[in-house]
DNA sequence: TTGTAGGCGTTATCAT
DNA sequence: ATGATAACGCCTACAA
């Protein structure tokens, strides 16, 4: 089953390679009759153009690469969905590589994206200092747009959300329902965490409330089991304080959703004893125990806008004087039983 | 910032292209000193081989393509993780394309995978008749392994799970805790659903219990909202039966997890009134309402084995006489409060 | 040890 | 309207 190429097609048809190529590409300089003949044969012999050769020649791959740290939560899946939808509308394909929160894996992924395998790159770095030099090198040759973790030292378009605003609204809501003592459970993702913490502080300031240092908790997410353990210990510790918190904000998707499991295990009533709200894009919020109040990120939009901005750059002939934008989309808050009983 | 190529490197170094190429590839026919000089310059000028050209020449891309219907649930993410881990151990990269449960998108994805853009393909079709002809064409030129939805008319390696066994154990467990009246909520994915239903029937037969036709429910999953609605109606209907069921088995991840939300909304006590168990690979089982008994699929293994079998085929020079295997891995059942109170 | 030349499968320019 | 030819960037016999 030798593969059909332009050459073999040309041989069978007794025509030159260039004629066949033009015919298949509907060139105006080819007669309808030959076009038809060529296309018929192409179909019959199952001709598939070799994209590698095509891209090598044209310098375009019509492919966008996506590198992101993980795709284990709905947050990432939803972003990817948004990207794919928009990309295919713009006639681009999407190829995805996960860095698995692992710097070396990320390096390999970035490497493989350079090399003109893609026309542009959508990149969510594992943290703000990972593979910066490599990213800059790539950026010299290939358009890059950073998404989600926008705290990354690369001067280009960035698409994320208003993180501080998210925690701010959560605090505001909790204050309004008379929960003034709010703990916050953070992951270690520095830039984003910092902003979400900032929103937490701002809210306290605005409502003239002191921030209790003990209420700010950091968890390293190595494994789910380990995370459960850490959170359990923190919760136990917090509840022993003279002034135990009446609410917990989860500063990341993973933390927020698993928080409920830990509280359930400790038999702590939510929201009676501890109200819970946090960043979470799961559509399982209704099935959770109890139904979970969430700060939602506009994931589809993040994906869509990231693609659009990237394609914009790809199509720009004069990349040198683009004004790089940082686009931060608003979050929304959905109240359910975990805060309002 | 003109890109460095072998040619430009050679020019700078006053050497021939082939010498530079060989030096960079550590050919034995090049002296250490020139190798060093070449590599130094390559690094200095930030030389990145053009993978397109490389692959075009060698016919190998060291890349495996993955096409799957969606990646919105942990089930898929976990499979992808398993694939990536194994692939990178075998020096392959993974590129992922989602068909989004959409036949046309799947076609495009398949098309783009043909064309020698990948050395092999891991394919989970959206259903058992989607793009079969195209898949066969591809299969003629590129190794393909089917995973998860193994009910697909392509003679090749297939990796999935023992679906019937999963529902069988679930029924058995429910029977043992004296829940003999079991409804089953199925998605529309035909092959897998059929097998899971078969397991349900087998269990009934083995325990000398009749299958009640009304207990077998099909839901089309168009959107989460719609699914909730459908399930709600079915549950209401079932509970009005003279012999209402005492348990529900969810025959797919989505159905199982969302089932809890619907039951919660209807204020039906789980497990007191209705016990729930079903296929689900979420690690949120503990945070659910109540904690969810699950039939777990060995997702990492599915991914790992699929990659291994595929690479096996890729490396086979004589593909014509491979004995195709269907590998079905056992599921495991994890009991939590949704069945045992 | 190094260089020359051909080709991978396309597309594009320029003749015919 | 069709064909010859070069080029994309790389690898690899084969020559020197």
């Amino acid at each position: 089953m030798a593969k059909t190429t332009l050459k073999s097609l040309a041989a069978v048809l007794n025509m030159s390679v260039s004629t066949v190529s033009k015919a298949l590409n509907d060139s105006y300089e080819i007669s309808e009759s030959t076009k038809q003949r060529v296309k018929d044969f192409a179909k019959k012999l199952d001709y598939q153009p070799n994209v590698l050769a095509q891209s090598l020649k044209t310098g375009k791959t019509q492919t966008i690469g996506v590198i992101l740290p993980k795709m284990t939560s709905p947050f990432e899946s939803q972003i990817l969905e948004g990207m794919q939808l928009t990309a295919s509308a713009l006639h681009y394909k999407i190829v995805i590589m996960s860095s698995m929160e692992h710097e070396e894996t990320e390096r390999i992924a970035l490497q493989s994206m350079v090399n003109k395998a893609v026309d542009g790159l959508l990149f969510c770095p594992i943290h703000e200092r990972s593979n910066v030099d490599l990213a800059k090198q790539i950026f010299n040759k290939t358009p890059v747009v950073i998404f989600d973790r926008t705290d990354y030292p690369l001067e280009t378009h960035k698409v994320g959300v208003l993180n501080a605003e998210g925690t701010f609204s959560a605090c505001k809501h909790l204050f309004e329902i008379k929960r003034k003592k709010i703990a916050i459970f953070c992951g270690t993702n520095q830039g984003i965490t910092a902003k979400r913490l900032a929103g937490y502080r701002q809210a306290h300031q605005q409502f003239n409330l002191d921030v209790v240092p003990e209420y700010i908790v950091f968890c390293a997410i190595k494994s789910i089991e380990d995370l459960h353990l850490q959170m359990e210990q923190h919760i136990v510790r917090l509840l022993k304080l003279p002034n135990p918190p009446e609410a917990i904000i989860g500063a990341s998707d993973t933390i927020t959703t698993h928080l409920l499991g830990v509280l359930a295990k400790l038999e702590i009533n939510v929201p009676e004893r501890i109200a819970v709200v946090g960043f979470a894009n799961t559509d399982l919020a209704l099935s959770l125990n109890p139904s979970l109040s969430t700060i939602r990120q506009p994931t589809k939009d993040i994906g869509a806008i990231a693609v659009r901005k990237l394609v914009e750059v790809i199509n720009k002939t004069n990349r040198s004087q683009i004004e790089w934008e940082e686009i931060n989309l608003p979050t929304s808050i959905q109240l359910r039983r975990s805060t309002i009983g």
Side-chain angles (χ1 to χ4, degrees), chain A:
Chain A
M1 187 80 56
K3 53 209 134 199
T4 310
T5 67
L6 280 189
K7 209 193 213 172
S8 70
L9 257 184
V12 176
L13 286 159
N14 259 323
M15 306 202 289
S16 76
V17 173
S18 57
T19 307
V20 177
S21 169
K22 285 172 188 166
L24 290 172
N25 290 318
D26 262 329
S27 163
Y28 65 97
E29 24 179 7
I30 300 291
S31 70
E32 273 311 318
S33 59
T34 31
K35 274 188 192 171
Q36 212 42 60
R37 233 164 67 75
V38 170
K39 287 180 181 171
D40 286 352
F41 265 80
K43 181 160 282 177
K44 195 173 312 176
L45 298 185
D46 184 28
Y47 168 70
Q48 304 284 3
N50 181 319
V51 280
L52 263 45
Q54 257 173 188
S55 301
L56 178 59
K57 183 64 196 174
T58 61
K60 298 246 113 206
T61 63
Q62 291 302 117
T63 299
I64 290 173
V66 181
I67 298 178
L68 76 180
K70 62 193 176 87
M71 12 189 210
T72 46
S73 77
F75 176 69
E76 291 90 22
S77 316
Q78 289 165 19
I79 288 183
L80 289 171
E81 244 180 71
M83 288 177 174
Q84 228 182 48
L85 242 38
T86 308
S88 71
L90 299 174
H91 305 289
Y92 279 87
K93 285 168 297 182
I94 290 274
V95 313
I96 303 160
M97 301 194 64
S98 162
S99 56
M100 312 194 82
E101 301 277 14
H102 194 288
E103 202 155 338
E104 175 61 10
T105 312
E106 188 180 65
R107 220 206 68 237
I108 295 172
L110 284 168
Q111 284 288 6
S112 74
M113 292 290 187
V114 192
N115 317 350
K116 290 308 317 150
V118 297
D119 292 345
L121 178 59
L122 298 169
F123 182 35
C124 174
I126 59 179
H127 66 257
E128 57 230 51
R129 278 184 320 287
S130 73
N131 292 302
V132 175
D133 289 343
L134 178 53
K136 284 185 180 164
Q137 281 176 38
I138 292 176
F139 181 65
N140 280 331
K141 298 179 184 130
T142 309
V144 178
V145 167
I146 306 288
F147 68 95
D148 183 28
R149 304 191 182 172
T150 54
D151 249 312
Y152 191 75
L154 187 67
E155 261 207 59
T156 183
H157 288 321
K158 296 180 183 176
V159 184
V161 300
L162 290 162
N163 285 296
E165 182 219 52
T167 25
F168 186 96
S169 340
C171 285
K172 183 157 172 280
H173 163 62
L174 289 169
F175 291 153
E176 281 164 4
I177 61 169
K178 308 293 181 227
R179 305 279 177 133
K180 314 244 169 187
K181 291 180 283 182
I182 308 175
I184 182 165
F185 279 38
C186 304
T188 36
N189 181 355
Q190 311 177 29
I192 288 184
T193 299
K195 286 181 189 150
R196 293 182 181 174
L197 258 178
Y200 172 86
R201 291 184 200 280
Q202 281 160 31
H204 280 75
Q205 197 170 354
Q206 189 147 331
F207 282 75
N208 283 315
L209 292 164
D210 285 334
V211 169
V212 180
E214 284 80 19
Y215 287 179
I216 300 178
V217 170
F218 290 91
C219 300
I221 306 182
K222 289 168 197 165
S223 72
I224 295 299
E225 293 73 28
D226 182 60
L227 174 64
H228 273 246
L229 209 66
Q230 285 180 56
M231 295 206 292
E232 197 174 322
Q233 290 168 350
H234 281 298
I235 292 168
V236 169
R237 177 179 62 73
L238 286 170
L239 289 181
K240 279 195 205 138
L241 291 175
N243 258 327
E246 310 149 327
I248 302 180
I249 291 179
S252 85
D253 281 51
T254 312
I255 286 182
T256 307
T257 46
H258 285 281
L259 197 48
L260 286 184
V262 176
L263 290 165
K265 189 191 161 201
L266 294 175
E267 298 187 347
I268 293 163
N269 283 337
V270 178
E272 293 78 8
R273 185 146 174 217
I274 300 272
V276 173
V277 56
F279 284 87
N281 267 60
T282 178
D283 50 28
L284 249 47
L286 278 175
S287 297
L288 289 165
N289 172 27
S291 68
L292 180 63
S293 296
T294 53
I295 305 164
R296 282 216 147 227
Q297 306 189 53
T299 42
K300 292 253 170 86
D301 295 336
I302 297 175
I305 293 175
V307 168
R308 260 188 245 122
K309 297 309 279 183
L310 182 63
V311 171
E312 218 176 282
V313 179
I314 291 175
N315 290 333
K316 210 84 151 198
T317 42
N318 185 0
R319 273 181 60 206
S320 61
Q321 39 199 353
I322 300 176
E323 275 202 32
W324 302 118
E325 297 175 57
E326 173 156 352
I327 300 172
N328 285 307
L329 306 171
T331 58
S332 60
I333 188 162
Q334 298 186 323
L335 304 180
R336 299 203 185 79
R337 287 196 29 246
S338 71
T339 56
I340 54 180

